[in-house]
Amino acid sequence: VSPVVALRPGVLQDPAVVTEIERRMARAGLRWTRARRTVLESVAAAPAPRSVPELQEAIGRDVPLSSLYRVIGDLVAARILIKLEFAEGFARFELDEELAAHHHHLVCTRCGAVADVELHEFEGALTDAARTVQRRTGFAVSMHRLDFFGVCSTCARD
Amino acid sequence: VSPVVALRPGVLQDPAVVTEIERRMARAGLRWTRARRTVLESVAAAPAPRSVPELQEAIGRDVPLSSLYRVIGDLVAARILIKLEFAEGFARFELDEELAAHHHHLVCTRCGAVADVELHEFEGALTDAARTVQRRTGFAVSMHRLDFFGVCSTCARD
DNA sequence: ATATATGCAAAACTTTTGCATACAA
DNA sequence: TTGTATGCAAAAGTTTTGCATATAT
């Protein structure tokens, strides 16, 4: 899929975001290392959730696989990254929504690519839905995820 | 999570559903075997998506692991089951939405349980959102998924 | 100086596959 | 009867972990 909507291209240039990341690192007792900075920059630069092999490819052998997994795990635990799965058999990772922007995913069932979209005009309805769930079932909703599946424009052309 | 909403408890008792399943089996060139019937009944009886270990547990050693995976794979390919992942590191499976009913998921971040909910009153908004995506990005949406994350009522009690 | 992070190698877990046999149509 | 499905064993892919060394604070 072509990156339909690139979300906050330079989040890591935004001092407020960097400050909040540092706050979360500190709260989790994590040190600010080269490997963590590299991984974070790589995830933040991507227009859509990244898989471990994709990050490995982007980063190079600087960060070996096991360290990559460990770094990612730490960043997820610190609530800086979020782990996603799209029934591909492996996980993808993106910046936590409070650090980036709330958005949804377009998953192409033909080529497997994942892109991001923002749908501001529907967030109200989604919030209402969450409240309804909570009232009706007692389940305390803290966040939601809306993904669309279909065929991306690139695949449709062929 | 307590099964918040049990969807069509006896789908496999509904002759129309059974007929449609048989149609899809035939279309995919699949034979009606004991293993497939067993797996299908087990998935259909569950109030929420099931993992392979859960199915193994429910079914017993009648169907060995490799066959279980193969049966599930065949049923997914025949569009009778759908494969889902909730960032748990493994897949879950449920009846295809055309065979059951369109619904959404409640994922407890405390205990990991998954429950189903129907939200009829919001389907219109979701359909509108899908149309908006399509118009704005060229991505041809064929289905959507809405999951809620939070704490189930059981976990909240403790 | 000291506790945390990394790198390497080995392992764990989920899922897939090759091949001989059993079974559905 | 004939091709498909199953069972077993082995393998592949993804992710985790033990332990010695390197590094951030």
Side-chain angles (χ1 to χ4, degrees):
Chain A
V1 196
S2 43
V4 177
V5 177
L7 293 167
R8 297 217 205 168
V11 251
L12 290 195
Q13 267 69 55
D14 181 339
V17 169
V18 173
T19 301
E20 177 58 22
I21 288 174
E22 284 168 353
R23 198 193 318 277
R24 294 182 186 203
M25 296 272 281
R27 195 193 318 142
L30 297 184
R31 294 173 177 178
W32 190 242
T33 67
R34 204 170 73 65
R36 286 173 181 158
R37 191 166 30 243
T38 305
V39 170
L40 204 43
E41 281 168 1
S42 190
V43 173
R50 283 291 176 251
S51 66
V52 170
E54 285 168 351
L55 290 172
Q56 172 91 269
E57 161 94 18
I59 291 173
R61 293 295 112 50
D62 277 4
V63 182
L65 205 55
S66 75
S67 301
L68 188 45
Y69 274 106
R70 236 182 309 222
V71 164
I72 291 173
D74 291 341
L75 295 175
V76 169
R79 298 182 160 282
I80 292 167
L81 296 187
I82 287 189
K83 179 182 183 181
L84 303 170
E85 293 187 13
F86 296 97
E88 300 170 295
F90 51 82
R92 291 181 173 276
F93 301 87
E94 65 179 15
L95 270 188
D96 182 86
E97 292 214 326
E98 291 169 31
L99 299 172
H102 180 62
H103 62 270
H104 304 288
H105 300 112
L106 306 181
V107 184
C108 180
T109 52
R110 193 85 62 89
C111 70
V114 179
D116 293 347
V117 239
E118 292 182 15
L119 289 171
H120 301 106
E121 61 273 53
F122 295 99
E123 291 311 323
L126 290 169
T127 305
D128 289 350
R131 245 198 311 271
T132 301
V133 164
Q134 191 143 352
R135 178 163 31 76
R136 197 185 291 168
T137 69
F139 183 93
V141 175
S142 60
M143 68 179 244
H144 66 257
R145 240 184 84 187
L146 174 60
D147 300 332
F148 296 94
F149 296 82
V151 180
C152 71
S153 48
T154 305
C155 284
R157 256 195 289 287
D158 311 328
Chain B
V1 197
S2 43
V4 178
V5 177
L7 294 166
R8 298 216 204 169
V11 251
L12 290 195
Q13 266 69 56
D14 180 339
V17 170
V18 173
T19 302
E20 178 58 22
I21 287 174
E22 285 169 350
R23 197 193 317 277
R24 294 181 186 206
M25 295 273 279
R27 196 195 317 142
L30 296 184
R31 292 174 178 177
W32 190 242
T33 67
R34 202 170 73 65
R36 285 173 182 160
R37 189 166 31 242
T38 304
V39 170
L40 205 41
E41 281 168 0
S42 191
V43 173
R50 282 292 177 251
S51 67
V52 170
E54 286 168 352
L55 290 172
Q56 173 90 268
E57 161 94 17
I59 291 173
R61 293 295 112 52
D62 278 6
V63 181
L65 204 55
S66 74
S67 302
L68 187 45
Y69 274 106
R70 232 176 318 220
V71 164
I72 291 173
D74 292 341
L75 294 176
V76 169
R79 299 182 159 285
I80 293 167
L81 295 187
I82 286 190
K83 179 182 183 180
L84 302 171
E85 294 186 12
F86 295 97
E88 299 170 296
F90 51 82
R92 292 182 173 275
F93 301 88
E94 65 179 14
L95 269 188
D96 182 86
E97 292 214 325
E98 292 169 29
L99 299 172
H102 180 61
H103 62 270
H104 304 287
H105 301 112
L106 306 182
V107 184
C108 180
T109 52
R110 192 83 65 89
C111 70
V114 180
D116 293 346
V117 237
E118 293 183 15
L119 289 170
H120 301 106
E121 61 274 53
F122 295 100
E123 291 311 323
L126 290 169
T127 306
D128 289 350
R131 245 198 311 269
T132 300
V133 164
Q134 191 143 353
R135 179 163 31 75
R136 195 185 293 169
T137 69
F139 184 94
V141 176
S142 60
M143 67 180 246
H144 65 258
R145 242 184 81 187
L146 174 60
D147 300 333
F148 296 95
F149 296 82
V151 179
C152 73
S153 47
T154 305
C155 284
R157 254 194 292 284
D158 312 329

